[in-house]
Amino acid sequence: MNKIKYEDFKVSSPIELSKIPTTYDLDASEKKIEKELEQVREKLGKLQDTLYAHGKYSVLVCLQGMDTSGKDSLIREVFKDFNTRGIIVHSFKVPTALELGHDYLWRHYIALPQRGKFGVFNRTHYENVLVTRVHPEYIMGENIPHIDSVDDINDEFWNTRFEQIRNFEKHIAQNGTLIYKFYLHLSKEEQKNRLLRRLEKREKNWKFSAGDLKERKLWDQYQACYQEAINRTSESHAPWYVIPADDKPVARYIVAKTLYDTIKEYEDIQEPELDEKTKANLGLYKEQLENE
């Protein structure tokens, strides 16, 4: 099985999505890839225990991608070996009335993981420069001062919003949040195949929505918006990773391996040592318990 380097997927200079493959050959069978994933996610789970004991960092995993790109199943498979107390998943849907009563980043701020835990955003704050960019009329529901019509949503508006998102990520990174942003790069042809499976398999019918086909017609617009968002917000403290997503097991393995290989580079994430008094009396405590 081919070894991977997370740097190969990391966005450190401007990209063109149309030139990035949506497949990646690991030169291994699906069974072998799944076995490798099992090993990596087990190590990730242990690493989370250490992160919790250390208590100074949190990890935010942001997942974005077109419909059917595999976000839900990736979450299920990559984080399967985590202590459930150590991870919280948030799936951001259409904003509620309460959420619309605040600024657009509010619901993301209050969902951030506390120190020692992983947080996964299934769709993220980037929806506010993706879906709303394709459908600017959605912005009107935010009731923003001086935005009285769609015509007021101009380039300056989007420039400001990108700056706000960069500032949001810089702020939480400076306060101990390790940020990982994964774009699941799916081909239009593979999306078609996955939508067809939802229609053909009764147990998957519930996943299908006629709205998926309407959004599919806007594929090129979404790709352009994703490309701009990635290029304008991939920073050293909050990098984007473009993950080939046509093959789900491959995508899951790359994400899990990227998380493990990068987090373990933080050498200060260690379980705290016992104080000298407790350490010196370990034998005594053991004897007390054994003599009960």
Side-chain angles (χ1 to χ4, degrees):
M1 179 168 167
N2 293 333
K3 293 184 178 180
I4 64 168
K5 296 186 295 183
Y6 64 81
E7 294 92 343
D8 292 339
F9 309 97
K10 187 176 182 179
V11 177
S12 52
S13 60
I15 61 164
E16 289 184 49
L17 282 177
S18 62
K19 295 183 178 180
I20 298 178
T22 57
T23 60
Y24 190 86
D25 185 11
L26 286 174
D27 192 26
S29 66
E30 183 172 328
K31 187 175 182 180
K32 172 65 174 175
I33 295 169
E34 290 176 348
K35 184 67 176 178
E36 290 292 323
L37 172 59
E38 288 178 12
Q39 294 175 2
V40 175
R41 74 186 181 205
E42 183 178 343
K43 291 190 287 186
L44 255 182
K46 292 178 180 178
L47 185 58
Q48 191 278 316
D49 287 339
T50 303
L51 186 88
Y52 182 82
H54 183 245
K56 291 188 177 182
Y57 293 100
S58 60
V59 177
L60 176 62
V61 179
C62 298
L63 298 176
Q64 285 286 163
M66 298 292 285
D67 291 332
T68 77
S69 60
K71 298 181 291 296
D72 292 335
S73 61
L74 185 147
I75 293 169
R76 182 187 68 237
E77 296 300 325
V78 169
F79 302 104
K80 187 177 287 186
D81 290 333
F82 273 51
N83 184 320
T84 54
R85 293 184 300 173
I87 184 168
I88 300 176
V89 178
H90 292 274
S91 296
F92 293 100
K93 308 294 185 182
V94 175
T96 64
L98 173 62
E99 291 166 345
L100 287 172
H102 297 267
D103 72 273
Y104 71 95
L105 286 173
W106 176 78
R107 66 176 181 162
H108 304 287
Y109 262 114
I110 63 174
L112 290 171
Q114 67 188 72
R115 289 185 177 89
K117 294 189 176 186
F118 274 62
V120 180
F121 284 3
N122 184 354
R123 296 191 183 277
T124 71
H125 44 293
Y126 282 94
E127 293 291 288
N128 298 286
V129 288
L130 293 167
V131 174
T132 54
R133 198 86 186 269
V134 176
H135 299 283
E137 65 274 14
Y138 293 172
I139 293 291
M140 302 311 298
E142 296 182 25
N143 206 26
I144 303 171
H146 311 302
I147 302 297
D148 300 315
S149 72
V150 172
D151 293 336
D152 296 324
I153 305 171
N154 52 23
D155 287 344
E156 182 181 358
F157 174 88
W158 295 116
N159 289 338
T160 298
R161 186 152 283 199
F162 278 120
E163 182 181 10
Q164 291 166 344
I165 287 174
R166 288 193 297 268
N167 288 339
F168 164 66
E169 293 176 348
K170 182 177 181 180
H171 168 69
I172 64 174
Q174 288 175 334
N175 284 275
T177 299
L178 309 181
I179 305 170
Y180 296 89
K181 300 180 296 192
F182 297 102
Y183 171 63
L184 302 184
H185 190 30
L186 185 72
S187 69
K188 192 174 183 181
E189 183 63 23
E190 179 58 22
Q191 188 196 57
K192 176 182 176 180
N193 294 335
R194 293 181 185 181
L195 288 172
L196 284 171
R197 281 197 290 274
R198 290 182 178 182
L199 291 169
E200 293 165 354
K201 294 189 176 182
R202 180 175 295 180
E203 68 272 18
K204 293 185 179 292
N205 286 170
W206 66 272
K207 290 185 176 183
F208 181 79
S209 167
D212 294 339
L213 300 184
K214 292 181 180 179
E215 294 300 287
R216 179 173 165 79
K217 292 179 180 179
L218 302 171
W219 180 276
D220 291 341
Q221 288 178 247
Y222 274 107
Q223 293 298 296
C225 291
Y226 267 113
Q227 180 173 296
E228 181 175 6
I230 291 169
N231 284 332
R232 296 186 66 169
T233 61
S234 193
E235 306 281 353
S236 59
H237 58 271
W240 275 101
Y241 296 86
V242 177
I243 307 299
D246 279 4
D247 186 316
K248 288 185 178 183
V250 170
R252 296 165 188 163
Y253 174 72
I254 294 173
V255 168
K257 193 74 164 60
T258 296
L259 286 170
Y260 178 72
D261 287 349
T262 52
I263 295 173
K264 73 176 184 180
E265 290 180 354
Y266 287 82
E267 296 180 358
D268 58 324
I269 299 180
Q270 301 286 338
E271 295 176 1
E273 290 192 17
L274 294 172
D275 61 83
E276 293 302 320
K277 181 179 179 181
T278 301
K279 192 184 299 184
N281 287 294
L282 287 178
L284 175 63
Y285 301 143
K286 180 181 179 182
E287 182 180 343
Q288 289 177 354
L289 286 168
E290 291 174 342
N291 292 332
E292 283 184 352

